[in-house]
Amino acid sequence: MSKQSWKPGNMLYPLPAVLVTVADRGGKPNIFTVAWTGTVCSDPPMVSVSVRPERYSHGMIEETGEFVINLTTRKLARAADYCGVKSGRDTDKIKDMKLHLLPGEAVKAPLLAESPVNIECRVKQTLRLGSHDMYLADVVAVHADEAYMDEKGRFYLDKSCPIAYSHGGYYLLGEKLGTFGYSVKKRRNS
């Protein structure tokens, strides 16, 4: 097997393509797309988002220290792209994409109603890293759409048709290959 050597770069793909909602101190909302996001810690629950300082929403996060990560789906793919290429300085992306907002429970930033999962976040630390500032944030509330729950309250994110981002493209997540621990699980004799 032969490999080419490339210059250092970010090749960690696929990534979640999330829509992040924010609001300024006066309550004016905005929404933008982030692919550089992830889990940082499970106890306490923490996440991160990395945002370029020139982004319109960067100032809102700096001002309030709050944001909401909204997971995206097949139905939200067009909005995810639009909200990543258009600026809230120039247009009302929420209105343009006919999106709906709900009030946050623990933060003033709104939730995206169309998202299957909304993660309310409060910034704990900001790391100025170069092209992006990384916001390490405490998860202060999580909301799951009941449309993807069974009668026992079990949540099925896969039923929402979640998407990921890779090398400039949006993709549906594929077939399930196993569950956590399946590689070491003892097989029952049939």
Side-chain angles (χ1 to χ4, degrees):
M1 181 182 307
S2 94
K3 301 241 181 188
Q4 290 183 4
S5 182
W6 294 353
K7 69 177 184 169
N10 296 324
M11 292 296 294
L12 185 60
Y13 288 107
L15 300 164
V18 300
L19 285 164
V20 175
T21 44
V22 294
D24 65 16
R25 279 196 193 123
K28 180 184 176 192
N30 192 45
I31 187 168
F32 68 112
T33 305
V34 172
W36 293 1
T37 184
T39 298
V40 174
C41 188
S42 57
D43 186 17
M46 293 180 70
V47 294
S48 70
V49 295
S50 292
V51 182
R52 288 183 179 271
E54 58 270 16
R55 296 286 298 261
Y56 179 61
S57 293
H58 181 277
M60 292 181 177
I61 295 172
E62 289 286 315
E63 185 177 66
T64 66
E66 298 178 342
F67 59 90
V68 177
I69 296 173
N70 303 278
L71 300 189
T72 55
T73 63
R74 174 190 288 244
K75 290 180 182 176
L76 286 169
R78 186 170 178 80
D81 184 64
Y82 185 85
C83 293
V85 297
K86 293 289 187 175
S87 174
R89 283 186 188 95
D90 306 322
T91 189
D92 183 341
K93 296 182 278 185
I94 298 159
K95 181 180 170 189
D96 295 348
M97 291 284 97
K98 298 177 174 58
L99 299 172
H100 303 90
L101 301 178
L102 300 169
E105 182 180 292
V107 300
K108 290 189 171 103
L111 314 177
L112 178 60
E114 290 83 356
S115 174
V117 175
N118 317 93
I119 305 166
E120 294 188 49
C121 304
R122 190 166 292 123
V123 175
K124 182 176 187 131
Q125 184 179 359
T126 303
L127 299 174
R128 314 263 184 228
L129 300 173
S131 64
H132 289 70
D133 289 345
M134 177 187 281
Y135 296 105
L136 297 174
D138 290 317
V139 174
V140 294
V142 176
H143 308 272
D145 192 328
E146 292 176 349
Y148 305 108
M149 291 184 194
D150 66 15
E151 62 281 346
K152 294 180 181 177
R154 183 173 169 156
F155 184 70
Y156 293 91
L157 182 61
D158 58 314
K159 302 292 185 206
S160 73
C161 299
I163 62 171
Y165 179 81
S166 183
H167 292 281
Y170 301 94
Y171 297 89
L172 279 173
L173 295 182
E175 83 180 83
K176 183 178 186 178
L177 302 176
T179 58
F180 180 77
Y182 84 103
S183 65
V184 296
K185 189 175 182 179
K186 294 187 187 227
R187 296 181 191 206
R188 295 183 189 183
N189 292 336
S190 305

